[in-house]
Amino acid sequence: MARLLHVDSSALSVGSVSKEIADTFRKTWREAHPGGEITHRDLGRNPVPALDEAGIHAAFIPAEQHTAEQSAAFARRTELVDEVLAADAYLFTVPMYNWGVPATFKAWLDQIILAGRTLVFDGAPPLAGRPATIVLAYGGGYDPGTPRDGWDFVQPYLETVLGKALGLEVTVIKAQLTLAERNPAMADLIPASKQLRAAAHEAAESRARTLAGQFAAA
């Protein structure tokens, strides 16, 4: 049975669009792949610490030479990396915060990108070809032709890091205009917002069912 690693990065415990779409994915995954395991890490509720000096140096020093601080920092990185390597598929929820990824998700990425474990500089990465679904949520609209076309630094960054650097097979599901119902200046965009959110739920359901079918047939 396949193991899904689900990493949430929204700071919201209630009202998170990215988490709602992820719930649709997980529900479909369970239905289509009974017995499959799900490991869930909610970075909003339980953030991992930012990568610090001890964690950086520990990666380049033999374990027997680690200080107590370096041992603790490297043990934390190892735990997170082991969790990533143990998964067969990935579900990441990443809302746009101030035109970038949430700090919690960046901290998690910094911890799990580890040379010799998840990152290599010669040959295929250990995660190469494993499917990753990224659910992105944007308060506004960032498609070509919109006033803020070119302001999206989330999708290109994640496609580069998760896809090109780590080798994951990335599929992106987007929900835009999520603030339309909260921001009076966006009231005329409410119908479009609802349509985009519904389409994102449909895409999440379809993606989960397709992936679950592929693993069940393997």
Side-chain angles (χ1 to χ4, degrees):
M1 294 294 178
R3 177 177 295 176
L4 175 71
L5 174 60
H6 173 197
V7 179
D8 276 319
S9 63
S10 173
L12 301 179
S13 58
V14 177
S16 167
V17 173
S18 61
K19 286 183 175 180
E20 290 174 4
I21 296 168
D23 285 344
T24 295
F25 184 104
R26 287 178 54 170
K27 179 182 178 181
T28 305
W29 173 275
R30 288 195 182 99
E31 293 173 351
H33 191 49
E37 299 181 33
I38 298 178
T39 300
H40 183 209
R41 182 172 288 276
D42 189 335
L43 299 175
R45 293 185 177 183
N46 298 293
V48 300
L51 184 61
D52 58 12
E53 184 177 17
I56 293 172
H57 286 317
F60 300 96
I61 301 173
E64 60 272 16
Q65 297 179 19
H66 285 176
T67 65
E69 185 181 11
Q70 289 169 345
S71 292
F74 199 67
R76 181 166 51 243
R77 295 192 75 182
T78 298
E79 176 187 358
L80 294 170
V81 167
D82 287 346
E83 186 174 76
V84 170
L85 292 173
D88 302 292
Y90 307 87
L91 173 62
F92 303 119
T93 63
V94 187
M96 174 189 277
Y97 286 173
N98 299 319
W99 303 286
V101 302
T104 53
F105 196 74
K106 180 60 166 63
W108 179 82
L109 280 175
D110 286 341
Q111 294 282 7
I112 66 100
I113 296 175
L114 185 59
R117 297 292 313 279
T118 57
L119 183 68
V120 296
F121 301 99
D122 185 20
L127 302 178
R130 299 188 195 183
T133 304
I134 308 174
V135 177
L136 303 179
Y138 302 83
Y142 296 87
D143 283 340
T146 62
R148 290 188 173 176
D149 177 14
W151 287 45
D152 178 8
F153 301 102
V154 175
Q155 183 173 347
Y157 170 71
L158 294 177
E159 289 178 336
T160 298
V161 175
L162 296 174
K164 294 179 181 178
L166 298 184
L168 294 172
E169 181 185 297
V170 171
T171 296
V172 174
I173 297 172
K174 295 196 292 187
Q176 300 191 76
L177 307 178
T178 63
L179 291 178
E181 294 182 63
R182 301 182 187 180
N183 185 348
M186 298 175 64
D188 60 328
L189 296 173
I190 290 176
S193 171
K194 291 181 177 180
Q195 290 177 358
L196 291 170
R197 189 178 304 189
H201 278 282
E202 291 176 4
E205 180 178 353
S206 175
R207 176 64 174 163
R209 196 173 302 282
T210 297
L211 277 180
Q214 290 174 354
F215 281 112

